[in-house]
Amino acid sequence: MKPEVYRIALFPLNIIVLPGEEVPLRIFEPRYKQLIAECEDTGMHFGIPYVDSNGHTNLGSQVELVRVVARNENGNSVVLIRGVNLFYLRNFEEELPHKLYGGGVIEPLNHSYQTTNNQLAVLIKKLKLNLSDTFGTLITDSSINMLDIAKALMLNSAQKYKFLLLKDDSQREKFLINRLLLREFIQKQESNLQNNFHLN
């Protein structure tokens, strides 16, 4: 079965927006003012290829415009976007025909990122990690979405990129377990410092 691929407007940035994650963007370049205006008019999505210190990578986030938060007299704005999906970038064009902004062909990442790893579940409950606004630390199914854990850990974009590059679920589970163990260690150190402060 051939992978699903399609063309989309692209806005390269050094951020990765996970599905469901909301991020503010400052819009001031004419090409991206045009892009956001079209998103407002049509509701179309756009893609954000992740840019690291070496330039474009082949990973990115498909996002939707949630709302324009503020706009000044020059047309510069702050907008809120939400992650919809992750993708592989198949090709990139600096400028689409009759547009100021670029675009390209993407292939959505259709991996489920589900895990039933018990150690992850135990650490999430122990650290009271907020996996969702509705359920908090409650795990409502036998499996957990690893992207939800990554969001709750508030990984930066470089860490998200490293996580998404991992080849299989066991490597992804190990990555998240190590991050959770680090958070547990930091929390213990902070608690010890607080206790010592009170004792003095």
Side-chain angles (χ1 to χ4, degrees):
M1 189 173 154
K2 285 182 75 175
E4 177 194 5
V5 296
Y6 51 89
R7 188 175 298 278
I8 193 171
L10 295 174
F11 184 171
L13 287 168
N14 63 338
I15 60 168
I16 291 176
V17 187
L18 297 176
E21 210 169 18
E22 294 190 351
V23 175
L25 286 184
R26 195 164 66 90
I27 308 297
F28 55 90
E29 291 185 60
R31 55 185 168 169
Y32 299 128
K33 288 180 186 178
Q34 183 187 64
L35 172 60
I36 294 301
E38 290 184 18
C39 291
E40 282 186 276
D41 290 342
T42 67
M44 75 177 194
H45 294 178
F46 63 95
I48 300 179
Y50 176 58
V51 180
D52 65 9
S53 56
N54 298 313
H56 289 167
T57 69
N58 67 343
L59 280 175
S61 312
Q62 183 176 336
V63 302
E64 61 184 349
L65 176 68
V66 177
R67 67 177 181 277
V68 176
V69 177
R71 183 177 274 131
N72 67 16
E73 66 277 4
N74 299 319
N76 299 339
S77 60
V78 175
V79 302
L80 189 67
I81 57 167
R82 181 188 297 123
V84 173
N85 201 0
L86 297 164
F87 62 76
Y88 290 117
L89 182 63
R90 292 304 181 203
N91 86 305
F92 177 73
E93 300 166 51
E94 286 289 345
E95 200 170 294
L96 291 175
H98 315 296
K99 304 290 181 186
L100 299 175
Y101 55 80
V105 175
I106 64 167
E107 177 189 339
L109 265 71
N110 290 320
H111 189 76
S112 73
Y113 294 98
Q114 294 297 121
T115 178
T116 55
N117 186 292
N118 285 334
Q119 191 178 1
L120 275 172
V122 167
L123 283 166
I124 287 161
K125 288 173 183 172
K126 197 172 179 182
L127 294 168
K128 298 183 171 63
L129 204 65
N130 190 21
L131 289 186
S132 82
D133 294 335
T134 309
F135 299 112
T137 59
L138 178 67
I139 296 165
T140 58
D141 203 341
S142 58
S143 65
I144 315 163
N145 190 304
M146 286 187 274
L147 296 180
D148 289 339
I149 302 171
K151 281 187 288 188
L153 282 168
M154 292 184 285
L155 299 181
N156 64 36
S157 289
Q159 292 164 340
K160 290 174 191 172
Y161 181 61
K162 186 176 178 182
F163 169 75
L164 292 169
L165 283 184
L166 295 171
K167 299 297 182 191
D168 59 56
D169 282 342
S170 62
Q171 289 180 320
R172 296 183 190 106
E173 288 164 358
K174 187 176 177 183
F175 177 93
L176 292 173
I177 286 166
N178 287 337
R179 301 298 308 179
L180 289 163
L181 289 172
L182 176 62
R183 176 173 283 204
E184 183 182 33
F185 173 77
I186 290 167
Q187 283 185 2
K188 281 179 180 172
Q189 293 302 308
E190 287 173 348
S191 178
N192 289 340
L193 281 171
Q194 251 185 350
N195 290 337
N196 289 338
F197 177 79
H198 289 309
L199 287 171
N200 291 333

